[in-house]
Amino acid sequence: MNNSVSNTARLLGAGLRALLVLTLVTGVLYPLVVTGIAQGLFHDKANGSEIKADGRVVGSSLIGQAYNLPLKEGEETPAPDLKWFQGRPQNGLGTNSVNTQYQLILSGATNRSGDNEELVQWVKDAKAAVVKDNSTGTFKVKPSQVPADAVTSSGSGLDPDISPQYADLQVHRVAEKNGLSAAEVQKLVDEHTEGRTLGFMGEPRVNVLELNIALKELTAKS
């Protein structure tokens, strides 16, 4: 009987020591080491890839934002503020009551097939809106000029980037709305166009938040 109790006590003691050691190694030391390496070598990414303007954090380079006018009475969704460059459509967020403006409570795609009637209508409506919104007195957008990312949402619904083609399409409208020349605004787009990662991965892209921050700075100088 005494031997059985003694063996049980030894086993419990060994289990407790193993628990304490594993807790210390995996629950304290390992997280501290990983956090230290991340902060030392990848400080910006570890802190959320924050973007600052006017001395404060205004967003993340990884998460898209909406640039809309205040919601009017009777509207289900706000109209875009056309003085700013616009990102991709937010249809991936659906018409839920939780997240309609890039709030980080919910994200996701429509999960509709390519021939889904509702999705096809969304694309048609989005293309018509892009043509209408971006046509000015001196620049007319043709439906054939509208790139795919201008009328489709990303898989997450939170894509922060647009294609250079979509950014170029918005230049004349943004210039007109802000009292700038098209050449000035086009220069901003060119300066904020990133190539493929390592020269071969992904596609050329323009971060909308960074571009709009540069646009705000330019209009302040004008």
Side-chain angles (χ1 to χ4, degrees), residues 45-67:
K45 291 180 173 60
N47 289 327
S49 301
E50 297 172 338
I51 295 179
K52 295 183 178 180
D54 300 324
R56 62 188 181 89
V57 175
V58 295
S60 168
S61 63
L62 305 176
I63 302 168
Q65 296 189 23
Y67 302 90

Side-chain angles (χ1 to χ4, degrees), residues 83 172-182 184-185 219 222:
K83 72 178 182 180
H172 290 268
R173 182 254 300 162
V174 170
E176 183 180 84
K177 294 290 184 181
N178 289 281
L180 301 168
S181 70
E184 288 178 298
V185 179
T219 55
S222 301

Side-chain angles (χ1 to χ4, degrees), residues 4-211:
S4 177
V5 172
S6 178
N7 289 335
T8 300
R10 282 198 298 272
L11 289 173
L12 288 174
L16 181 59
R17 287 193 296 274
L19 175 62
L20 292 174
V21 170
L22 289 173
T23 299
L24 178 64
V25 172
T26 63
V28 179
L29 296 179
Y30 178 74
L32 286 176
V33 170
V34 171
T35 300
I37 292 173
Q39 288 293 332
L41 300 180
F42 312 101
H43 179 74
D44 178 62
K45 291 180 173 60
N47 289 327
S49 301
E50 297 172 338
I51 295 179
K52 295 183 178 180
D54 300 324
R56 62 188 181 89
V57 175
V58 295
S60 168
S61 63
L62 305 176
I63 302 168
Q65 296 189 23
Y67 302 90
N68 295 326
L69 295 168
L71 188 66
K72 296 180 181 178
E73 186 176 351
E75 287 184 336
E76 291 186 5
T77 55
D81 189 343
L82 297 179
K83 72 178 182 180
W84 302 110
F85 283 92
Q86 296 294 314
R88 298 183 66 175
Q90 301 170 38
N91 288 342
L93 304 179
T95 55
N96 61 80
S97 60
V98 180
N99 184 3
T100 59
Q101 293 189 43
Y102 286 127
Q103 296 171 9
L104 297 183
I105 301 173
L106 176 68
S107 70
T110 63
N111 290 326
R112 288 169 170 77
S113 63
D115 60 354
N116 178 270
E117 292 183 4
E118 187 175 22
L119 179 60
V120 171
Q121 191 60 51
W122 278 349
V123 171
K124 288 181 178 179
D125 292 345
K127 177 174 283 191
V130 169
V131 170
K132 177 178 178 292
D133 290 344
N134 291 286
S135 292
T136 68
T138 58
F139 178 78
K140 301 299 180 184
V141 177
K142 299 176 182 178
S144 59
Q145 293 178 289
V146 179
D149 64 300
V151 297
T152 57
S153 59
S154 64
S156 67
L158 302 172
D159 194 344
D161 303 320
I162 56 176
S163 66
Q165 292 80 11
Y166 187 27
D168 291 343
L169 201 67
Q170 301 182 60
V171 164
H172 290 268
R173 182 254 300 162
V174 170
E176 183 180 84
K177 294 290 184 181
N178 289 281
L180 301 168
S181 70
E184 288 178 298
V185 179
Q186 184 64 59
K187 186 172 183 290
L188 284 184
V189 172
D190 294 342
E191 290 173 347
H192 287 82
T193 298
E194 298 181 46
R196 291 180 171 88
T197 303
L198 299 180
F200 68 94
M201 292 191 294
E203 295 293 331
R205 59 201 180 275
V206 181
N207 186 281
V208 182
L209 175 55
E210 293 177 348
L211 180 59

